[in-house]
Amino acid sequence: MPAPTAPSVRRLRSTARAMLPLLPEPESWLDVATGDADFPEAARTLFPYTAFDGVDPTPRVLHAQAVERLEEGHVGCLTDPQITSRLRGRYDVVSILNRPADPGELRAALTVLRPGGHLLVESPDDPRPALESQGCAIVATTRRSAHVPDRLTTRLTRTLPALCGAARTLDHTMALLVAGTRFARTYRVIARKAPSVPSAP
């Protein structure tokens, strides 16, 4: 699997940076569907003292652990009851990036979060109703770019190779201009799990 390109590393760091004002030094962080752990690798530059774990349905997560991109790698889906029960209440942050907001996966993510922990979601669907119905407080919402840069570049360079440089510039400019507007297709939401209620004496 090739290493991520410079623009994608910047984008991953930008996603991780969104957590800094809310939780500058999380102890533990789980990345869902982490694959080769590109996101934890990028986020580690901002959170050097955080232990990053990952869960993924493929054995790539074990390779990511072997090359020390992750502390622990778990093969499977977060919605698997065995994984969820093993990781229950273990993480300060859980990230679910570039996936539809599946209510079952969101519930499982909240299960593995500690009380008061944060869930970072980037999704083409708005996850806020599902999270609020689970008692979460939405602490940050923004919109990401309407397209992934390089799509226009790829299409134009096939037909007009001479326009490659101009297309690349236009591609990244468009992504920056629409970020944060209603034209952006991806939601970035940070939700806080309700803190535990102390039991009565």
Side-chain angles (χ1 to χ4, degrees), residues 18-24 118 139-140 190 192:
M19 283 304 306
L20 278 172
L22 301 167
L23 198 63
H118 291 78
V139 295
I190 301 174
R192 183 182 296 121

Side-chain angles (χ1 to χ4, degrees), residues 75-155:
V75 178
C77 296
L78 186 60
T79 52
D80 179 332
Q82 289 184 335
I83 290 177
T84 307
S85 63
R86 190 167 66 239
L87 302 180
R88 180 181 299 273
R90 187 167 164 182
Y91 295 100
D92 296 312
V93 181
V94 174
S95 50
I96 302 176
L97 308 178
N98 305 313
R99 309 163 54 74
D102 174 64
E105 193 168 63
L106 294 176
R107 279 193 301 274
L110 292 173
T111 299
V112 303
L113 271 177
R114 293 174 177 152
H118 291 78
L119 178 57
L120 170 61
V121 181
E122 281 190 0
S123 171
D125 312 312
D126 187 352
R128 291 175 294 182
L131 292 169
E132 288 171 330
S133 73
Q134 296 290 315
C136 292
I138 306 301
V139 295
T141 304
T142 188
R143 300 288 290 272
R144 297 299 303 265
S145 59
H147 70 288
V148 177
D150 297 332
R151 285 185 183 169
L152 181 63
T153 307
T154 303
R155 288 182 185 144

